[in-house]
Amino acid sequence: SRAYSLVDSSQVSTFLISILLIVYGSFRSLNMDFENQDKEKDNSSATGSFNGNSTNNSIQTIDSTQALFLPIGASVSLLVMFFFFDSVQVVFTICTAVLATIAFAFLLLPMCQYLTRPCSPQNKISFGCCGRFTAAELLSFSLSVMLVLIWVLTGHWLLMDALAMGLCVAMIAFVRLPSLKVSCLLLSGLLIYDVFWVFFSAYIFNSNVMVKVATQPADNPLDVLSRKLHLGPNVGRDVPRLSLPGKLVFPSSTGSHFSMLGIGDIVMPGLLLCFVLRYDNYKKQANSDSCGAPGPGNISGRMQKVSYFHCTLIGYFVGLLTATVASRIHRAAQPALLYLVPFTLLPLLTMAYLKGDLRRMWSEPFHSKSSSSRFLEV
């Protein structure tokens, strides 16, 4: 078919990796909730009380005000990068490298825990004012630092993708959407932001601001350092310019072009998928507590068994496929959120209405949440 001919190996790689990142990040987020609840239960055994609404301080929950102003803040940041990129590129590269190091260490941590479990106890090692860390945490951080250093020296696209994957998983795992209302506010605002800066910025700034910022390489910090310190023409001058890990890129089978997807197009729908996964788990636990009470009478049993996570994940895939086909037809960059937001939000809202969960999901569905079940079929 024509649609099939417009999707090559690079797009297929983008589809698969983005979906895997969202699923993995969502389950890491759910697992963090379980671990926090276990810690609270252990602490409550000593105090005799338990607060089911307490959360980890490292988790950031987005409220309605933040959801409304986030697109504005993103627009300001985009303009700063557009007009003053030469002035801030080194600082931005260093900050991005630090964040990517921490995020990739988080991505590697489960694997390192599995590797170190047989030969090392999970006792934490003290490093003074720096804190206490397990052997798995030290190993994951060391591997992450090594990968970032190799990326700085080589600038290889595959290493940049690895760092971008770590950023995606960490952001999905540590940021929470508390309700469907906040989700709609955030994704709708970002849809307008994406459409404006891709389609209309050229009429104002004589350039596609989004595309230029996303594709502009930055000077390598090693090259800048060698020039500042006058280390000679052969010291640090052969390192490549760096394409920053704010996106995933995959080469086509012919190597003639790269397929590119911004991490915002993964993270923002991923936050919605993380929210519905937590709600599926919450609802399953609530139904088990109420001895399997049936849903509304006008909804078939088969519809009740369909999870919101499955519905939204399929919508994300269809939206991503539509965005890819549109970009190939028009031979121009497309705002991915223009397709991803409707294909994820509309089926979710429709299913929530049919199941009778829309009112509960719309406003703080987890406010009275107690402990969650550890098992969820996906």
Side-chain angles (χ1 to χ4, degrees), residues 22 30 71 94 123 138 140-141 177 191 217 256 324 332 344 350 355:
I22 288 176
L30 194 64
I94 294 174
N123 297 329
L138 295 174
S140 65
F141 184 75
L177 292 176
L191 184 152
S256 59
T324 302
T344 53
T350 302
K355 286 189 173 185

Short mmCIF file of all heavy atoms in Angstrom, two decimals, residues 22 30 71 94 123 138 140-141 177 191 217 256 324 332 344 350 355:
data_model
loop_
_atom_site.label_atom_id
_atom_site.label_comp_id
_atom_site.label_asym_id
_atom_site.label_seq_id
_atom_site.Cartn_x
_atom_site.Cartn_y
_atom_site.Cartn_z
N ILE A 22 8.21 4.07 26.52
CA ILE A 22 7.01 4.47 27.26
C ILE A 22 6.55 3.35 28.19
O ILE A 22 6.23 3.58 29.36
CB ILE A 22 5.90 4.87 26.28
CG1 ILE A 22 6.23 6.22 25.64
CG2 ILE A 22 4.56 4.94 26.99
CD1 ILE A 22 5.23 6.66 24.58
N LEU A 30 5.43 2.75 38.15
CA LEU A 30 4.54 1.97 39.00
C LEU A 30 5.32 1.20 40.05
O LEU A 30 4.91 1.10 41.21
CB LEU A 30 3.73 1.02 38.13
CG LEU A 30 2.51 0.35 38.77
CD1 LEU A 30 1.47 1.37 39.16
CD2 LEU A 30 1.92 -0.69 37.83
N PRO A 71 3.94 25.09 28.38
CA PRO A 71 4.18 25.46 26.98
C PRO A 71 4.78 26.85 26.83
O PRO A 71 5.59 27.08 25.91
CB PRO A 71 2.78 25.38 26.35
CG PRO A 71 2.02 24.44 27.22
CD PRO A 71 2.52 24.71 28.60
N ILE A 94 26.89 21.10 28.51
CA ILE A 94 27.37 20.53 29.78
C ILE A 94 26.20 20.14 30.66
O ILE A 94 26.18 19.05 31.25
CB ILE A 94 28.30 21.53 30.49
CG1 ILE A 94 29.58 21.74 29.67
CG2 ILE A 94 28.64 21.04 31.89
CD1 ILE A 94 30.49 22.81 30.22
N ASN A 123 24.11 -3.46 50.91
CA ASN A 123 24.43 -2.44 51.88
C ASN A 123 24.97 -1.20 51.18
O ASN A 123 25.72 -1.30 50.21
CB ASN A 123 25.45 -2.95 52.90
CG ASN A 123 24.91 -4.13 53.68
OD1 ASN A 123 23.70 -4.21 53.93
ND2 ASN A 123 25.78 -5.04 54.07
N LEU A 138 26.65 2.56 42.18
CA LEU A 138 27.99 3.00 41.78
C LEU A 138 28.36 2.44 40.41
O LEU A 138 28.95 3.15 39.58
CB LEU A 138 29.01 2.56 42.82
CG LEU A 138 28.88 3.21 44.21
CD1 LEU A 138 29.88 2.58 45.18
CD2 LEU A 138 29.11 4.71 44.12
N SER A 140 26.25 1.49 37.95
CA SER A 140 25.45 2.13 36.90
C SER A 140 25.93 3.54 36.62
O SER A 140 25.99 3.98 35.46
CB SER A 140 23.97 2.14 37.30
OG SER A 140 23.75 2.95 38.44
N PHE A 141 26.32 4.26 37.66
CA PHE A 141 26.80 5.63 37.46
C PHE A 141 28.14 5.63 36.73
O PHE A 141 28.39 6.46 35.85
CB PHE A 141 26.93 6.35 38.80
CG PHE A 141 27.34 7.79 38.69
CD1 PHE A 141 26.43 8.74 38.26
CD2 PHE A 141 28.63 8.19 38.98
CE1 PHE A 141 26.80 10.08 38.13
CE2 PHE A 141 29.02 9.52 38.86
CZ PHE A 141 28.09 10.47 38.43
N LEU A 177 1.30 12.87 36.38
CA LEU A 177 0.08 13.62 36.08
C LEU A 177 -0.98 13.14 37.06
O LEU A 177 -1.32 11.96 37.07
CB LEU A 177 -0.37 13.37 34.64
CG LEU A 177 0.55 13.93 33.55
CD1 LEU A 177 0.05 13.52 32.17
CD2 LEU A 177 0.65 15.44 33.64
N LEU A 191 0.22 20.73 22.30
CA LEU A 191 -0.18 20.57 20.91
C LEU A 191 -0.15 21.93 20.21
O LEU A 191 0.39 22.06 19.09
CB LEU A 191 -1.58 19.96 20.83
CG LEU A 191 -2.15 19.63 19.44
CD1 LEU A 191 -3.13 18.48 19.54
CD2 LEU A 191 -2.87 20.83 18.81
N PRO A 217 23.85 21.46 15.59
CA PRO A 217 24.87 20.85 16.46
C PRO A 217 25.58 21.91 17.30
O PRO A 217 25.62 23.09 16.94
CB PRO A 217 25.84 20.20 15.45
CG PRO A 217 25.71 21.04 14.23
CD PRO A 217 24.28 21.51 14.18
N SER A 256 20.73 7.40 3.49
CA SER A 256 20.55 8.69 2.82
C SER A 256 19.93 9.75 3.73
O SER A 256 20.08 10.95 3.49
CB SER A 256 19.66 8.51 1.58
OG SER A 256 18.39 7.97 1.94
N THR A 324 4.14 10.07 10.78
CA THR A 324 5.22 9.66 9.87
C THR A 324 4.77 9.69 8.42
O THR A 324 5.47 10.21 7.54
CB THR A 324 5.71 8.25 10.24
OG1 THR A 324 6.16 8.25 11.59
CG2 THR A 324 6.84 7.82 9.34
N ALA A 332 8.04 17.37 4.64
CA ALA A 332 8.39 18.45 5.58
C ALA A 332 8.17 17.94 6.98
O ALA A 332 7.43 16.97 7.22
CB ALA A 332 7.53 19.69 5.32
N THR A 344 -4.48 9.76 21.29
CA THR A 344 -4.38 9.19 22.64
C THR A 344 -5.50 9.69 23.55
O THR A 344 -6.12 8.90 24.27
CB THR A 344 -3.02 9.52 23.27
OG1 THR A 344 -2.77 10.94 23.22
CG2 THR A 344 -1.90 8.79 22.57
N THR A 350 -13.31 8.76 25.48
CA THR A 350 -14.49 8.00 25.06
C THR A 350 -14.66 6.74 25.91
O THR A 350 -15.77 6.44 26.38
CB THR A 350 -14.37 7.62 23.58
OG1 THR A 350 -14.23 8.81 22.79
CG2 THR A 350 -15.60 6.87 23.12
N LYS A 355 -17.30 3.62 30.22
CA LYS A 355 -17.14 2.79 31.41
C LYS A 355 -17.65 3.46 32.69
O LYS A 355 -17.71 2.82 33.75
CB LYS A 355 -15.66 2.44 31.60
CG LYS A 355 -15.13 1.39 30.62
CD LYS A 355 -13.72 0.97 31.03
CE LYS A 355 -13.23 -0.18 30.20
NZ LYS A 355 -11.91 -0.68 30.68
#
